Amino acid sequence: MFEVNKTPEEICDIRTRYAMRWYIRKANWNKRIYYIFSFIGIICPLANVVVASCGEINLAIVILASVTSLATSLLALTNARMKWENYRSAAEFLKREYTLYQARVGTYGDNQRVSAYLNTTEGFMGEVHSNWQNLFDKGDSGKEPEEKPGKPKDEKGSTDK
């Protein structure tokens, strides 16, 4: 990804583009999953009503009800909407910071702009990763995760949207 002869500005550009592509790709994937399962969860019950009103087709009713239940369960299990929102928020944050960095405004206006930018973006991505880890730690045990030594607990609870 990085060659030896890259300038700090080129490194910022490469890292930002790579991270934004990754976050956007993940957001789009989770958006599709969310819409597919939601669509199935809406259409199958409607089709079930139509099939039930047409007569006695028990097998079709059972299949449609099962597909509805499966889609609803997968929607809850995957947390696709939450992931979609989180990945999209992360991409938008990086886009905003990169714009400020390129325009040389705010904290990116002085001669330490590269280090300020990298500290901000890498810190943010580390925080996003830490939040995911805490979410999975909570999901495994069913209780709040314990604070790990050396890592401050996030007080915000969510990312900017």
Side-chain angles (χ1 to χ4, degrees):
M1 183 158 106
F2 300 115
E3 296 174 15
V4 178
N5 297 329
K6 295 285 182 191
T7 66
E9 289 80 9
E10 290 172 323
I11 292 171
C12 288
D13 183 58
I14 292 168
R15 175 67 171 141
T16 302
R17 290 179 191 280
Y18 174 80
M20 283 179 57
R21 271 195 305 269
W22 190 85
Y23 281 120
I24 291 169
R25 188 175 66 245
K26 291 298 228 176
N28 287 338
W29 170 254
N30 282 286
K31 178 182 176 181
R32 283 186 203 106
I33 294 297
Y34 174 74
Y35 279 130
I36 289 168
F37 291 151
S38 294
F39 183 75
I40 291 170
I42 292 168
I43 295 300
C44 284
L46 294 174
N48 208 356
V49 170
V50 171
V51 169
S53 67
C54 289
E56 201 169 313
I57 308 174
N58 290 335
L59 182 59
I61 293 171
V62 170
I63 290 171
L64 287 170
S66 298
V67 170
T68 301
S69 178
L70 179 65
T72 304
S73 298
L74 288 174
L75 193 58
L77 181 67
T78 61
N79 288 323
R81 182 176 179 171
M82 180 194 69
K83 289 178 183 176
W84 167 28
E85 291 172 352
N86 286 340
Y87 285 129
R88 192 66 212 176
S89 294
E92 291 300 322
F93 174 83
L94 290 176
K95 190 187 316 181
R96 178 182 163 270
E97 292 300 312
Y98 190 64
T99 301
L100 295 173
Y101 167 76
Q102 289 292 356
R104 299 174 186 260
V105 297
T107 58
Y108 310 123
D110 61 4
N111 59 353
Q112 296 294 318
R113 73 187 198 95
V114 172
S115 62
Y117 176 74
L118 288 175
N119 284 332
T120 300
T121 56
E122 292 297 329
F124 172 78
M125 288 187 278
E127 184 180 310
V128 168
H129 178 74
S130 178
N131 288 343
W132 277 109
Q133 193 62 47
N134 287 338
L135 178 68
F136 288 120
D137 289 347
K138 181 180 178 182
D140 290 341
S141 65
K143 63 180 183 179
E144 289 293 324
E146 295 179 20
E147 192 170 334
K148 295 179 182 175
K151 289 187 176 182
K153 193 170 184 178
D154 179 36
E155 295 178 2
K156 285 197 295 185
S158 66
T159 59
D160 293 341
K161 289 188 180 179

